[in-house]
Amino acid sequence: DGGSLAGGGETFGDRSLSQGLSVLVGLGLCVTMLGLGCAVELGQLGQQLRRPVGLLLALLGQFVAMPLLAFLLALIFALDEVAAVAVLLCGCCPGGNLSNLMSVLVDGDMNLSIIMTASSTLLALFLMPLCLWIYSRHWINTAVVQLLPLGAVSLTLGSTLLPIGLGVLIRYRHPRAADLLVKISLWSLLVTLVVLFILTGTMLGPDLLAQIPASVYAIAVLMPLAGYALGYGLATVFKMPPHCRRTVSLETGCQNVQLCTAILKLTFSPELIGSMYMFPLLYALFQSAEAGLFVLAYKMYGRDSYKQDTLGEEEDTDISYKKLKEEEVADTSYGTVTTEEHNSIQMEPTQTAL
């Protein structure tokens, strides 16, 4: 059985700690969304909208595959309503910025990664509440689902538009500052997750972690792993090149756990949330560890083939350039006029340096 995650509500009722965590979550989310906006270039966004492959992949990956996966896992492991809501919330979240960082490490398509993250974040305004409403029907007769604050979820999602819009404006006006903010946001993401996990795991006590059933830990391990596999399969169906497949894989499995944490913390009361608050943090831990293994495997086994492909392309370019250079040398020989004795004129061939 999934067991109840509602226990521990009193522990989460510590007002000073609860308010501190809420402030940390809110600030971390704002910095992350600001960095996401700074990574978006209007020209690239326009190109993607004219050929919306990234938009379509974000739609299918984040709001078809992942919510369905979360729903099925909740049924398979027979979770109770509180745990199921936590899993569904995480599964219905848009893509997270961790995927952008990981895409760099596996030589992925950064433009595709950023467009997918931004697109899924904007689509979440409408599709995340819809997915939650659809998939929570199985637990509709429970109190936590009847109190599921879809309006507050929409409000939290809407509040992310301001830092995203500000980031886009900074990118348009001050590109160098935007590059710096992107780096700051990525480090902020990692630091915030580590701090949240330490605070929740230590200050709230190991008893809270012990209250989380083994089935929830199992889902936290399996869900991102299955998401990576689903994303890679989806990109394969679209016949995308290998570097794009790696990108779509990471984009699908990496969820915006900061947004999930913010929704759980800001829209549910401590009495209802209980240790349910821990699930997105567990998901963040395992999605990062599994993505790290993905990167490590690529560095050990996949990087050589990538370098060979790149080197082959460069060699072809060099050969073509050399041939073109030789042809230009042969066709562009000029002469200099020299005057010798007896007033004779002689042409002395020289070659101009290219």
Side-chain angles (χ1 to χ4, degrees):
D1 292 337
S4 176
L5 284 179
E10 295 179 359
T11 306
F12 273 89
D14 186 332
R15 291 192 176 276
S16 59
L17 179 59
S18 179
Q19 291 175 357
L21 289 173
S22 298
V23 171
L24 179 62
V25 168
L27 288 176
L29 182 62
C30 286
V31 174
T32 301
M33 293 297 102
L34 178 65
L36 175 59
C38 287
V40 176
E41 294 186 7
L42 294 177
Q44 294 175 354
L45 186 60
Q47 292 176 3
Q48 289 292 332
L49 290 177
R50 288 190 292 270
R51 189 173 177 271
V53 177
L55 182 66
L56 179 60
L57 289 169
L59 173 65
L60 294 176
Q62 297 297 341
F63 301 108
V64 176
M66 290 305 291
L68 180 59
L69 173 63
F71 175 72
L72 292 177
L73 287 173
L75 289 181
I76 291 171
F77 285 92
L79 298 184
D80 67 6
E81 67 277 8
V82 182
V85 166
V87 172
L88 285 176
L89 270 171
C90 193
C92 295
C93 276
N97 287 55
L98 179 66
S99 60
N100 305 140
L101 176 62
M102 293 299 177
S103 293
V104 173
L105 298 178
V106 296
D107 299 312
D109 188 331
M110 275 306 297
N111 287 335
L112 178 62
S113 177
I114 292 169
I115 289 299
M116 286 188 67
T117 304
S119 299
S120 64
T121 301
L122 295 177
L123 289 171
L125 289 169
F126 310 100
L127 295 182
M128 187 176 176
L130 177 62
C131 289
L132 286 172
W133 182 81
I134 291 173
Y135 287 109
S136 65
R137 298 297 90 190
H138 182 77
W139 297 273
I140 188 60
N141 293 325
T142 61
V144 69
V145 172
Q146 290 177 352
L147 295 174
L148 186 63
L150 295 179
V153 170
S154 301
L155 182 62
T156 304
L157 287 165
S159 65
T160 63
L161 289 180
L162 182 59
I164 290 176
L166 180 59
V168 173
L169 180 62
I170 293 174
R171 165 62 64 181
Y172 180 73
R173 295 285 184 87
H174 307 285
R176 291 185 179 180
D179 291 336
L180 179 61
L181 286 172
V182 169
K183 295 178 181 179
I184 292 174
S185 70
L186 290 175
W187 283 108
S188 170
L189 168 66
L190 298 177
V191 171
T192 302
L193 291 177
V194 170
V195 171
L196 280 175
F197 198 83
I198 291 174
L199 283 177
T200 308
T202 59
M203 296 181 68
L204 299 180
D207 292 340
L208 182 64
L209 295 174
Q211 291 174 8
I212 301 176
S215 57
V216 175
Y217 282 100
I219 291 177
V221 173
L222 293 174
M223 193 167 154
L225 192 62
Y228 294 141
L230 285 172
Y232 198 90
L234 185 63
T236 303
V237 170
F238 277 78
K239 298 180 179 180
M240 304 189 78
H243 71 291
C244 290
R245 294 179 190 178
R246 296 192 295 270
T247 303
V248 176
S249 174
L250 290 167
E251 280 294 327
T252 305
C254 288
Q255 301 295 89
N256 191 335
V257 291
Q258 284 181 300
L259 178 61
C260 183
T261 304
I263 291 173
L264 288 173
K265 195 76 184 73
L266 302 176
T267 60
F268 286 97
S269 66
E271 292 75 18
L272 280 176
I273 190 174
S275 55
M276 179 172 68
Y277 177 75
M278 285 294 295
F279 180 76
L281 301 179
L282 291 174
Y283 188 95
L285 176 65
F286 289 113
Q287 81 170 4
S288 302
E290 291 165 8
L293 292 175
F294 186 179
V295 172
L296 181 62
Y298 171 73
K299 297 292 186 184
M300 294 177 62
Y301 303 106
R303 189 67 182 267
D304 292 338
S305 60
Y306 174 81
K307 286 183 176 179
Q308 289 175 1
D309 293 340
T310 305
L311 182 60
E313 294 176 0
E314 291 176 352
E315 288 176 350
D316 292 342
T317 303
D318 291 341
I319 292 173
S320 300
Y321 175 74
K322 289 176 182 177
K323 288 181 178 179
L324 179 62
K325 183 175 180 180
E326 291 173 358
E327 291 174 0
E328 288 180 351
V329 168
D331 295 338
T332 57
S333 295
Y334 299 93
T336 59
V337 180
T338 60
T339 305
E340 296 183 350
E341 295 180 357
H342 308 295
N343 295 324
S344 62
I345 299 177
Q346 180 178 355
M347 298 294 294
E348 180 180 339
T350 59
Q351 289 184 346
T352 58
L354 290 178

